[in-house]
Amino acid sequence: MKKLLFLFLLTTQCIQAQDSIPKSPLLNKRNEIRVDVLALALARPNITLERFFFFFFSAGVSGIYSNTKKVKDDFDEGNINAYSKYEIIPFVRYNLSQGARSFYFAEVFANANGGDFREIVLLTDASNNHYYAIKKSNYTDLGLGAAVGYKYYIKDQIGIELLVGFGSNLFNKDKSPDILSRVGLGVSYRF
């Protein structure tokens, strides 16, 4: 009798858990393309493709390219020692809310990035004289991080997303930036 009661309660809980997932036309649309308007304003195009697998999980990849004159000038003048020219960011997200139209989410991401590094080095010439010179080189690195955000859909296909997160490069820390920021205000289309 206790086993039957336990089985009945377990079945009831499973049915209620399925009822807690909202019914929405958004759940039939599994793909999304997003452009970060904040990055566009800074002349760093950021395009994201995201695929929704279940109600609570999604995965995607973002691509960022930055090669503006202002950043190059800051780099050449010595205002910054390193800057990322490109970033490829695969991510996995978990929906923290029960809503399909608006929800909070948490994300874990990897960041494959590369760019230029500038340093001042001490050199010696043939006469054994020492002098300083600027040495420029390229770097590539891989970082890991986490982010949180909020997404809101208008008319079941246009989305607005706010994202804030940070990470750290892992392997080439002497040349690559120590901290990777993942901040954005995106506009998306879900299909």
Side-chain angles (χ1 to χ4, degrees):
M1 184 68 172
K2 288 181 183 179
K3 290 180 182 180
L4 284 175
L5 181 63
F6 176 73
L7 185 62
F8 175 74
L9 290 175
L10 184 64
T11 306
T12 306
Q13 289 298 322
C14 290
I15 292 171
Q16 288 177 354
Q18 288 180 353
D19 289 340
S20 68
I21 295 176
K23 306 288 187 246
S24 173
L26 277 172
L27 299 178
N28 296 329
K29 299 174 182 180
R30 299 273 187 194
N31 300 305
E32 183 172 294
I33 186 165
R34 182 172 43 259
V35 175
D36 190 336
V37 294
L38 189 63
L40 278 179
L42 298 173
R44 291 185 67 207
N46 179 349
I47 297 174
T48 302
L49 296 172
E50 186 173 359
R51 173 82 175 164
F52 294 87
F53 295 108
F54 305 107
F55 176 72
F56 291 108
F57 286 102
S58 67
V61 63
S62 294
I64 301 172
Y65 179 74
S66 175
N67 204 11
T68 64
K69 182 177 179 348
K70 182 186 180 327
V71 174
K72 282 183 185 179
D73 290 345
D74 283 345
F75 179 74
D76 290 335
E77 293 170 5
N79 297 331
I80 55 175
N81 289 338
Y83 80 95
S84 295
K85 283 187 175 180
Y86 68 89
E87 296 178 50
I88 300 169
I89 307 168
F91 61 87
V92 176
R93 288 185 175 172
Y94 180 73
N95 183 349
L96 298 172
S97 304
Q98 292 295 321
R101 189 176 207 96
S102 68
F103 54 89
Y104 293 95
F105 61 86
E107 145 181 316
V108 176
F109 65 89
N111 186 328
N113 58 84
D116 291 335
F117 177 72
R118 178 185 191 272
E119 64 183 329
I120 299 173
V121 294
L122 179 64
L123 300 174
T124 307
D125 63 8
S127 303
N128 206 20
N129 295 323
H130 300 291
Y131 65 96
Y132 289 99
I134 296 173
K135 180 182 173 187
K136 294 180 183 177
S137 60
N138 296 327
Y139 78 87
T140 56
D141 207 344
L142 177 69
L144 295 176
V148 293
Y150 177 75
K151 189 177 283 194
Y152 178 75
Y153 286 99
I154 304 167
K155 296 188 179 186
D156 294 332
Q157 60 189 6
I158 305 298
I160 298 171
E161 174 182 299
L162 178 63
L163 176 70
V164 177
F166 295 98
S168 177
N169 277 321
L170 301 174
F171 302 109
N172 199 3
K173 287 192 169 206
D174 56 333
K175 292 185 178 182
S176 64
D178 292 334
I179 296 176
L180 301 168
S181 64
R182 185 134 160 81
V183 178
L185 176 63
V187 176
S188 62
Y189 177 75
R190 190 161 171 176
F191 55 97

